[in-house]
Amino acid sequence: MAILPVHSFAKGGWVAPAAGARPIRSAVTGDTIAEAGNDALDFAGMLDFARETGGPTLRAMTFHDRARMLKALALHLGEHKQQLYDLAYDTGATLSDSKIDIDGGIGTVFVIASKGRREMPDDQVYVDGDPEMLSRNGTFQGLHVCTPLHGVAVHVNAFNFPVWGMLEKLAPTLLAGVPAIVKPATATCYVTEACVRLIAQSGILPDGALQMIAGGTGDLLDHLGGQDVVSFTGSQNTALKLRSAPNILKNSVRFVAEQDSLNASILGPDVVPGSPEFDLFVKEVQREMTVKAGQKCTAIRRIIAPAEQVGPVIAAISRRLAKTTVGDPRRDATRMGALVSNAQKNDVLDKVAILRSEADMVFGDPENFTVEGLQDGAFLPPMLLHCAEPDRARRVHDTEAFGPVSTVMGYRDLDHAIDLANRGQGSLVASVVTASGDVARAVTLGAGAFHGRLYFNNAASMSEATGHGSPLPHMVHGGPGRAGGGEELGGVRGVLHYMQRTAIQGGPDILSAVTNTWQPGAAEGAAKAHPFTRNFNELAIGETIHTAPRKVTLEDIEHFAAFTGDRFYAHMDEDAAAANPFFPGRVAHGYLLLSFAAGLFVEPAPGPVLANTGLDNLRFLKPVVPGDSIKVRLTVRKKTPRNEDYGEVRWHVRLTNQDDEAVAEYELLTMVAFES
Ligand code: NAP
């Protein structure tokens, strides 16, 4: 069989393996199927190409431009994914394993793209949080903004998810406006290379936005500086080696690490055999042990059950594991494929030997296990261990056998369960199957600091729950301590890892110009016509109208109370209202003021304003009493295109009384047509 040369994608071209190339074997047959690596790759040149070609083009785009680019990329990959499935069998993955990797990766790109369109501006500056008033009169304020780093994101990835592992980092990086150099693990880099070829052929990304290294990284890390980021996924040992490289330390290169993790799953004290929750627990454990042959960073390594349930838990998990057919991942009947390589298989067996010094094997017999016809494949059976004395044990809490291996241990009470879960010294995820809110809160308080994600599941949520082991693009992925101390994903949070947060201080006009958003206190622009008659593109940031005043009478308040049924005493009963610390006597309803405000600023004729879609940050600042007059200042605060036809206009609305004191403030959201 011909050996596949896995190319690197460097400086816009494909570079074949050469001196320094390593062989790659099929996980299923053990045959050499590919080779990768080239010591002569111009690593410094790749960094320059990213910095000089990819970075400037990406930074010139807005978040929405980049989000549209990512969506197009996800659609393109979705159309061509079959060839990735075909290649992935040799990594040992079954079709359902590959769906997690390939479809999961594409789905992640879709979600990040959609977050970019919905939660980030059509701009190059991202504002993080609200303005801070740094002066008495508001002439000097502060804001935090994020802008893309001017360097390169170097992604060093683990072997287990050759596609998801690349895309889950690439999507937030590109959305941030930063080019990436991806270094997949050599064992499965032929699948990543095929995915990078699809991306390159699509022409969707600008030149220099993505490069890939097949094989070793040479002197790449020696050329990184303070504008670069390393995002590493892999083992604790490699993370330590890379993050402590002198150049990384000297230049304070950002280093995000996702490493091994002794994830736990706790069976809640309220759950008994025969209940839907018990079955759910057993099912999730078995699934986590066998998906990707247990080679998942989030897989359940420690099964923590009430002491009296340990027997039933072992029996039930063993029954399910006995039905898990292990074999050729290409066969439909196979439920669990091979580990990625015989080296990985041997590593797992070494780790199992360590675990056996503190735990007994209760299911699985690795010494007497083969898959017929595939003797040289990296197959192992699922292995379940039982640790009778988890308090005295150390290795079951610190040894990650990165395969289909998990250890059951019993707990006395919930505090004990929490203590055992935390002995992993920091994990990516801990799950709890419980129907008790009290248990969930106690676990959150006792274990939250030790785990990047807490996953609670029970009969009410199980039909829609996303699974213990699935990192979701919306939620953060990472964990403290042993898990690497890093954080990825989590929607826009994951994008910010590739940006610099900068505190901007200045007057409101300066802050408005920096952010393309009118900041309260900034100069008002005169409206050329009523703003409700102007199309989206005609409206200028800061454009303002002031309305005529309107007097609020006692009759108005009573009419509103009768009409709406809101007869709260503060509006209806002078004595009771006066006894309230907030009111001088009867006051106007806040909602009456909002309605009057709309009556004052709305232009009634059909026009470009299509709909009012909500209010944000509403504050009633001072009561309005009968006889007061209110007037409105309406200012265009921010504009965000939503589709081809219309965009969102965020208006700043301020209501003042006859003494120019603010009585209410809010932001009004409207959809405004590009053309009317
Ligand atoms: P690994 O041996 O640490 O390798 C990880 C990556 O680092 C690979 O791309 C590897 O490339 C690269 N690498 C190794 N030495 C390097 C060096 N000196 N310079 C530059 N790059 C270097 O880990 P693995 O065996 O691939 O993955 C398994 C481990 O990853 C498990 O412990 C698992 O828990 C962890 N993991 C964690 C997560 C998470 O999200 N937290 C996800 C998946 C896996 P080569 O392949 O070319 O050596």
Side-chain angles (χ1 to χ4, degrees), residues 22 156-160 183-187 215 217 221 232-235 238 241-242 258-261 297 344 400 402 428 477 483:
R22 282 184 269 164
V156 181
N157 297 337
F159 68 77
N160 54 348
K183 185 266 179 284
T186 303
T217 52
L221 301 188
F232 171 82
T233 304
S235 63
T238 312
K241 188 158 139 196
L242 300 191
E258 304 291 335
Q259 53 195 46
D260 21 333
S261 169
C297 54
Q344 184 62 25
E400 184 203 43
F402 201 59
L428 297 170
H477 173 59

Side-chain angles (χ1 to χ4, degrees), residues 39-120:
D39 291 344
L41 215 53
D42 177 10
F43 297 102
M46 290 177 75
L47 289 168
D48 289 343
F49 185 62
R51 288 181 187 127
E52 288 161 17
T53 307
T57 318
L58 287 168
R59 290 199 296 279
M61 300 164 79
T62 67
F63 292 105
H64 285 202
D65 294 334
R66 297 179 210 131
R68 276 189 289 269
M69 174 182 85
L70 288 174
K71 185 175 173 189
L73 192 63
L75 286 167
H76 177 76
L77 292 176
E79 283 164 19
H80 296 88
K81 62 187 179 184
Q82 184 60 45
Q83 53 185 281
L84 302 179
Y85 293 153
D86 293 345
L87 275 175
Y89 288 118
D90 269 315
T91 70
T94 62
L95 183 60
S96 63
D97 291 340
S98 284
K99 287 191 171 169
I100 296 173
D101 183 34
I102 295 161
D103 297 59
I106 295 170
T108 299
V109 180
F110 271 122
V111 171
I112 299 296
S114 144
K115 292 260 171 204
R117 286 294 300 278
R118 283 188 288 112
E119 298 174 26
M120 301 186 90

Side-chain angles (χ1 to χ4, degrees), residues 47-290:
L47 289 168
D48 289 343
F49 185 62
R51 288 181 187 127
E52 288 161 17
T53 307
T57 318
L58 287 168
R59 290 199 296 279
M61 300 164 79
T62 67
F63 292 105
H64 285 202
D65 294 334
R66 297 179 210 131
R68 276 189 289 269
M69 174 182 85
L70 288 174
K71 185 175 173 189
L73 192 63
L75 286 167
H76 177 76
L77 292 176
E79 283 164 19
H80 296 88
K81 62 187 179 184
Q82 184 60 45
Q83 53 185 281
L84 302 179
Y85 293 153
D86 293 345
L87 275 175
Y89 288 118
D90 269 315
T91 70
T94 62
L95 183 60
S96 63
D97 291 340
S98 284
K99 287 191 171 169
I100 296 173
D101 183 34
I102 295 161
D103 297 59
I106 295 170
T108 299
V109 180
F110 271 122
V111 171
I112 299 296
S114 144
K115 292 260 171 204
R117 286 294 300 278
R118 283 188 288 112
E119 298 174 26
M120 301 186 90
D122 189 26
D123 199 333
Q124 291 145 311
V125 173
Y126 178 77
V127 178
D128 181 23
D130 294 327
E132 298 285 344
M133 284 298 136
L134 303 178
S135 60
R136 186 184 297 260
N137 297 319
T139 60
F140 194 74
Q141 304 181 13
L143 259 185
H144 293 94
V145 304
C146 300
T147 53
L149 290 172
H150 286 210
V152 186
V154 175
H155 298 162
V156 181
N157 297 337
F159 68 77
N160 54 348
F161 289 110
V163 175
W164 179 84
M166 170 169 72
L167 296 179
E168 64 105 8
K169 292 180 188 176
L170 189 60
T173 302
L174 294 178
L175 184 55
V178 175
I181 297 178
V182 176
K183 185 266 179 284
T186 303
T188 56
C189 68
Y190 49 97
V191 184
T192 313
E193 189 233 47
C195 188
V196 171
R197 279 189 189 275
L198 289 174
I199 295 173
Q201 282 156 7
S202 76
I204 291 168
L205 298 188
D207 287 348
L210 171 64
Q211 298 177 81
M212 190 200 91
I213 297 171
T217 52
D219 61 356
L220 182 84
L221 301 188
D222 299 338
H223 298 287
L224 298 183
Q227 288 292 308
D228 302 316
V229 186
V230 177
S231 184
F232 171 82
T233 304
S235 63
Q236 189 184 28
N237 288 344
T238 312
L240 179 63
K241 188 158 139 196
L242 300 191
R243 78 186 337 162
S244 54
N247 185 55
I248 301 279
L249 292 175
K250 186 173 117 234
N251 291 317
S252 307
V253 177
R254 270 189 217 184
F255 196 95
V256 182
E258 304 291 335
Q259 53 195 46
D260 21 333
S261 169
L262 275 294
N263 313 297
S265 186
I266 301 174
L267 181 67
D270 51 314
V271 181
V272 291
S275 64
E277 272 90 7
F278 188 88
D279 296 343
L280 165 68
F281 180 78
V282 169
K283 226 180 189 165
E284 285 236 24
V285 168
Q286 180 259 351
R287 192 172 59 212
E288 290 300 323
M289 286 180 68
T290 55

